[in-house]
Amino acid sequence: MSVRVVVVDDEPLARRRVLRLLREEGDGVEVAAVCSNGVEAVEAIRATRPDLVFLDVQMPEMDGFGVLEALGPDIPGVIFVTAYDQYALRAFEVHALDYLLKPFDVERFRRAFERGRTQLQRRASGQQRIVALLEQLAAERRELERRLPGAREPQHLEWVMVKVRGRLELVKTAELDWIEAEGNYVRLHAGKGSYLIREKISTLEERLDPEAFVRVHRSTIVNLNRVRELRPLPSGDYTVTLTDGTELKLSRGYRHRLAERVGEYG
């Protein structure tokens, strides 16, 4: 499985060594960010949502434990990297996956990384079972409703399950601002948060409430409740401005879809 990693250490040589060893692990490792202090680490971890963090303990301004405290309960897997063994007990009290004591050799690093990868695989396997069960229950409910006398029309999607720092959370579709395609994935934007799920945008569009959500571009769906204004462009396209200031493109090929919801314009 692919592993997204953030490396945090205030020593340049230590950062470079961890990065070199990660490259030797092969193509399944993606370094999402490299940080030299705790403040940078908190921002990077929140922004990139890694699976695993190699985290130094002693750093200026904010140490490794301060980073975890600032992140709160939703922290990724952590492997501490430090030259001081007195923090080991405290590290495992905060559920660290491993504790690399500098200077460590290649074999010790590989064991720590493999321990982290194994934990991620177990977590992902459990999540997949939960998702499969929920999908099965949803399908059974739809089939039951279809067979009942006076069955209603199929219900639109009200919740989306997303992965946040290794945990599964439910996001209400009514809270989504807009949706963008990223290949075979879509990124859901809701307030300051964004969530990547494996779903084609055309498939998701079919499941959303058409009274609330409209496709404005081949790669974009917007929640009409979040649209503030439309501004015409010389090209014949429009700029859609959301209530939070986000600007999206309404292409000419999708103008009729929006017109069907809000009436003719322009």
Side-chain angles (χ1 to χ4, degrees):
M1 64 177 292
S2 178
V3 181
R4 286 170 57 81
V5 180
V6 167
V7 177
V8 185
D9 201 305
D10 65 334
E11 298 178 0
L13 287 176
R15 293 197 301 271
R16 287 198 291 270
R17 184 156 190 261
V18 172
L19 290 172
R20 178 176 59 80
L21 293 172
L22 286 172
R23 285 195 296 270
E24 293 177 1
E25 292 295 325
D27 297 334
V29 179
E30 175 191 352
V31 177
V34 180
C35 307
S36 60
N37 60 66
V39 176
E40 287 181 4
V42 172
E43 295 177 355
I45 293 169
R46 285 174 175 167
T48 62
R49 297 190 179 114
D51 301 306
L52 194 62
V53 178
F54 284 86
L55 182 61
D56 190 12
V57 173
Q58 285 202 332
M59 295 180 290
E61 298 183 45
M62 180 184 293
D63 65 11
F65 295 107
V67 170
L68 300 186
E69 184 177 350
L71 292 171
D74 295 328
I75 61 173
V78 174
I79 295 176
F80 278 106
V81 183
T82 180
Y84 305 94
D85 60 2
Q86 64 262 38
Y87 301 108
L89 179 59
R90 188 179 175 191
F92 290 108
E93 287 176 348
V94 296
H95 307 293
L97 299 178
D98 210 331
Y99 191 92
L100 280 175
L101 191 62
K102 301 175 185 177
F104 50 84
D105 59 21
V106 174
E107 183 58 34
R108 180 66 182 90
F109 178 88
R110 287 177 175 169
R111 290 204 307 271
F113 182 76
E114 187 58 34
R115 176 174 295 174
R117 195 203 301 266
T118 299
Q119 290 295 325
L120 293 172
Q121 288 172 336
R122 290 174 179 171
R123 184 184 300 169
S125 177
Q127 291 171 345
Q128 289 169 359
R129 288 196 296 270
I130 293 171
V131 170
L133 176 59
L134 291 174
E135 289 178 345
Q136 177 184 340
L137 292 173
E140 291 174 354
R141 186 185 67 177
R142 289 195 297 269
E143 179 63 20
L144 180 60
E145 290 177 347
R146 187 184 65 81
R147 293 182 180 183
L148 289 173
R152 299 174 296 171
E153 291 297 317
Q155 298 298 300
H156 301 298
L157 191 65
E158 295 183 3
W159 299 87
V160 181
M161 186 170 292
V162 299
K163 182 180 178 183
V164 179
R165 300 189 186 111
R167 297 171 56 184
L168 293 175
E169 294 186 7
L170 288 172
V171 176
K172 198 171 182 61
T173 54
E175 297 175 354
L176 300 178
D177 301 322
W178 63 288
I179 301 163
E180 64 177 324
E182 294 187 11
N184 289 326
Y185 292 78
V186 292
R187 184 169 296 279
L188 312 174
H189 296 269
K192 295 182 179 180
S194 70
Y195 315 95
L196 193 66
I197 64 171
R198 187 175 181 84
E199 184 80 88
K200 289 186 177 181
I201 193 168
S202 56
T203 303
L204 183 59
E205 180 187 15
E206 294 175 354
R207 302 177 64 194
L208 293 170
D209 182 359
E211 296 299 320
F213 292 89
V214 61
R215 188 96 164 258
V216 296
H217 187 274
R218 62 183 178 85
S219 62
T220 312
I221 296 173
V222 298
N223 184 344
L224 289 176
N225 297 307
R226 302 293 195 273
V227 175
R228 186 174 69 197
E229 65 178 16
L230 302 176
R231 287 189 289 109
L233 300 174
S235 63
D237 297 330
Y238 278 73
T239 295
V240 179
T241 304
L242 305 186
T243 52
D244 65 357
T246 300
E247 294 187 346
L248 305 170
K249 181 180 179 181
L250 167 61
S251 60
R252 283 175 292 178
Y254 288 87
R255 282 188 58 183
H256 69 284
R257 298 194 183 196
L258 188 57
E260 290 173 355
R261 305 290 193 282
V262 302
E264 294 295 336
Y265 53 91

